[in-house]
Amino acid sequence: MKLYGSHRSPYVQKVRVFIREKGIPCDFLDVRPASAEVVALNPLSQIPTLELDNGSGIFDSTVIVDYIDGAWPERPLIPQAFAERIEVRRWEALCDGMADSARMIKYEASADATSRKGADYFAKHQGKVDRGMLFIDAAIAGRKYCVGNSLTLADVAFAAAYAYITQNLPEMSILGQTPAARAHAESLFARPSFSILV
Ligand SMILES: N[C@@H](CCC(=O)N[C@@H](CS)C(=O)NCC(=O)O)C(=O)O
């Protein structure tokens, strides 16, 4: 099994930490979304893309983690029980969405001034990150894990998004107003499986 991606992608990093936490063998190939290997497996030409040993491709990061958790059911990171599973997937959707907005801000900020989007665009995406971070800060305060009493995909998705945001947009003022989110991220980064995020 091979994972195609880049350590600069928050979605790739989420999948890489998930695989490490599961303790399963998987080769990692550092490639761009437009690489021939990815395009051959994924018509969307996006990373992460997973290549199975039978040569077929699996993509979007949400489907890849589902595949891995189902194919290696020992030590599940996505709960089977309906309510917990929906809660974990909600965390993942929130954290992936925050990473989406952080990426938009980063790319637009580095665009040429003549073609750069306006202040409304930045405010819209900043609002998504800020509200998401405040939501997480309130939800995680006093808890060891995002959902339930053990580590799940929710913690993995949060850590990957938090690492991306703090590394690429460290000046965001919301980071100074969300100490519980920061403390949770730091406790996760200390786990060996998460060390690739820092
Ligand atoms: N929803 C997708 C998003 C993947 C994604 O947008 N990856 C970016 C890299 S961070 C990419 O491949 N961009 C190239 C493109 O969209 O053409 C997932 O979770 O896997």
Side-chain angles (χ1 to χ4, degrees), residues 1-21 24-33 35 37-39 41-42 46-53 55-68 72 156 193 196-197:
M1 196 164 70
K2 293 179 192 156
L3 180 70
Y4 294 94
S6 160
H7 67 273
R8 286 183 294 277
S9 161
Y11 324 104
V12 172
Q13 293 295 77
K14 176 183 70 177
V15 171
R16 290 180 72 203
V17 171
F18 192 90
I19 288 170
R20 288 161 63 96
E21 197 62 41
I24 57 173
C26 182
D27 294 331
F28 177 62
L29 291 97
D30 203 319
V31 296
R32 291 175 165 275
S35 69
E37 299 98 312
V38 171
V39 173
L41 293 162
N42 178 353
Q46 285 190 325
I47 52 173
T49 291
L50 185 73
E51 182 177 4
L52 304 184
D53 290 343
S56 62
I58 297 199
F59 46 86
D60 188 285
S61 65
T62 59
V63 181
I64 295 173
V65 293
D66 235 353
Y67 172 81
I68 291 168
W72 283 269
V156 176
S193 306
I196 57 167
L197 295 178

Side-chain angles (χ1 to χ4, degrees), residues 74-178:
E74 311 79 30
R75 187 171 153 49
L77 295 177
I78 303 173
Q80 289 289 313
F82 180 69
E84 286 81 18
R85 182 159 42 90
I86 295 299
E87 183 60 4
V88 165
R89 300 311 310 226
R90 186 173 77 139
W91 272 87
E92 182 187 30
L94 173 61
C95 295
D96 283 7
M98 291 165 66
D100 290 343
S101 283
R103 289 180 61 233
M104 299 303 137
I105 293 169
K106 181 186 170 200
Y107 289 128
E108 278 305 318
S110 64
D112 187 80
T114 54
S115 60
R116 191 181 303 154
K117 297 226 171 28
D120 287 0
Y121 180 89
F122 285 96
K124 179 177 86 171
H125 286 291
Q126 188 68 60
K128 291 173 195 277
V129 177
D130 288 358
R131 289 190 302 272
M133 205 63 86
L134 289 167
F135 181 97
I136 288 170
D137 193 65
I140 200 64
R143 297 184 57 83
K144 186 155 185 223
Y145 299 105
C146 295
V147 179
N149 297 316
S150 61
L151 187 116
T152 66
L153 168 64
D155 300 287
V156 176
F158 163 67
Y162 194 89
Y164 182 85
I165 292 166
T166 51
Q167 287 160 16
N168 289 282
L169 301 164
E171 71 287 353
M172 275 193 179
S173 61
I174 197 66
L175 296 172
Q177 301 162 36
T178 47

